[in-house]
Amino acid sequence: MNNPGERHMLQITGAAKSYNGQTVFSGLNLAVEREQFTVLVGPSGCGKSTLFDGLTGAIGLDRGRISWNHEILTHLGHHAAYMQQKDLLLPWFSLMENALLPAKTGKQDMVQMEPVAQKLFVRLGLNGYESHYPHEISGGMRQRCALVRTLMFNRDLILLDEPLSALDAITRRSLQSLLLLLQTAFKKTLLMITHDIEEALLLGDEVYLFSSQPMRIKERFVLDQPKPRLFSDPGLLKIKRHMLEQLEGAL
Ligand SMILES: Nc1ncnc2c1ncn2[C@@H]1O[C@H](COP(=O)(O)OP(=O)(O)OP(=O)(O)O)[C@@H](O)[C@H]1O
Ligand SMILES: [Mg+2]
């Protein structure tokens, strides 16, 4: 039997960040288990994206210890793939060129990587748009292309900041299934921010509910219902009601 600490792939201890003297969060601790789907929910502006930016090194944290696989790091860097809230597609590159950027910068064999990207384009309903430029497609399509690019990094840990927020309900359902597949078939560890409580309950093994600023963990929910889940599950509906009450109280 492993030491219980070894199940934690990612551990964040005492994370702190302030902007202009205003504390966004301080003393924040969070642990993410290997191959688990962890979901973060909280009021708008509480500091969720700031936390992801700090974890990935997009910004510097004021304090905090990040450990990944028991290695202490200043940020996750190349250990994680990060899909930011803004899609950040490069406007002068086509969708396929954008999708292949991780392969290019990682000096991977492009001949091998293009069919992988092509498969993801089909899976995400972007086939036929490979040569289009970001300004020629809709917000939801840009989001899907950003998701392809994130997956092309092929990292064990994937951080997703509201990856499905610009999508219609049907596409969203299909991509939720894809995210579950990444967890179950590809053994990825996922950490995702969402405003959609139903999505959190359908996908999360653990859901953290944050308070408004300064952001702290208000409650942690452990969900052991088997997946794929149905939202009609009375247990999930009960948790949803409780979460909504807590979220209203968090504002
Ligand atoms: N570069 C910055 N300079 C100053 N303040 C900032 C900066 N970036 C973020 N903030 C502030 O930090 C706080 C947290 O912002 P953040 O984007 O992390 O919130 P969030 O929880 O992701 O919100 P949302 O759910 O709306 O995406 C906000 O008050 C925001 O104004
Ligand atoms: Mg955000």
Side-chain angles (χ1 to χ4, degrees):
M1 175 103 179
N2 287 341
N3 175 337
E6 287 183 8
R7 289 168 34 226
H8 290 142
M9 184 184 210
L10 171 64
Q11 259 180 318
I12 304 149
T13 318
K17 180 73 189 174
S18 296
Y19 277 119
N20 313 317
Q22 178 110 13
T23 305
V24 182
F25 49 80
S26 77
L28 192 73
N29 303 324
L30 200 72
V32 173
E33 286 186 25
R34 184 185 298 280
E35 292 171 31
Q36 293 266 295
F37 207 133
T38 304
V39 182
L40 312 183
V41 179
S44 180
C46 71
K48 305 176 297 295
S49 298
T50 304
L51 175 65
F52 270 22
D53 286 346
L55 290 179
T56 56
I59 60 164
L61 289 173
D62 299 336
R63 273 188 305 285
R65 199 182 81 155
I66 298 167
S67 88
W68 189 86
N69 273 338
H70 303 284
E71 189 188 344
I72 295 173
L73 306 165
T74 45
H75 56 75
L76 288 166
H78 66 272
H79 294 296
Y82 180 25
M83 177 175 165
Q84 290 184 257
Q85 197 165 1
K86 282 179 250 159
D87 63 50
L88 300 179
L89 297 177
L90 298 178
W92 54 85
F93 282 160
S94 71
L95 299 195
M96 181 54 85
E97 286 166 338
N98 265 288
L100 288 171
L101 274 179
K104 209 178 247 172
T105 51
K107 300 189 175 55
Q108 295 175 49
D109 182 350
M110 300 299 273
V111 177
Q112 269 185 338
M113 296 316 285
E114 188 157 349
V116 178
Q118 187 59 53
K119 269 192 193 150
L120 284 167
F121 268 63
V122 173
R123 180 71 168 81
L124 273 69
L126 288 172
N127 47 319
Y129 292 92
E130 294 82 353
S131 312
H132 282 59
Y133 286 85
H135 72 271
E136 297 175 318
I137 58 168
S138 72
M141 291 166 84
R142 291 170 63 102
Q143 212 175 22
R144 280 178 275 155
C145 185
L147 183 57
V148 174
R149 191 174 61 182
T150 308
L151 300 182
M152 291 300 290
F153 280 102
N154 194 24
R155 304 267 157 82
D156 289 341
L157 178 60
I158 305 177
L159 275 71
L160 303 165
D161 192 348
E162 300 192 35
L164 313 181
S165 59
L167 304 178
D168 63 273
I170 293 170
T171 312
R172 183 180 271 243
R173 280 298 280 187
S174 151
L175 293 200
Q176 286 168 349
S177 311
L178 175 73
L179 295 183
L180 276 186
L181 199 69
L182 290 175
Q183 181 193 16
T184 54
F186 293 91
K187 308 286 179 206
K188 302 288 184 190
T189 303
L190 291 114
L191 184 57
M192 180 178 81
I193 296 169
T194 182
H195 276 290
D196 182 338
I197 290 187
E198 293 195 4
E199 184 165 278
L201 295 175
L202 287 176
L203 301 180
D205 302 306
E206 279 188 316
V207 180
Y208 285 90
L209 197 69
F210 287 116
S211 70
S212 56
Q213 244 186 76
M215 181 173 86
R216 59 177 182 79
I217 296 167
K218 211 170 151 62
E219 201 159 341
R220 168 177 171 255
F221 300 85
V222 177
L223 305 172
D224 52 13
Q225 285 86 349
K227 299 177 196 173
R229 295 176 184 150
L230 285 177
F231 208 69
S232 49
D233 179 317
L236 289 182
L237 287 173
K238 200 169 154 206
I239 300 171
K240 180 186 172 184
R241 272 197 298 276
H242 178 75
M243 262 191 197
L244 282 171
E245 280 167 18
Q246 291 295 310
L247 208 52
E248 278 162 19
L251 289 173

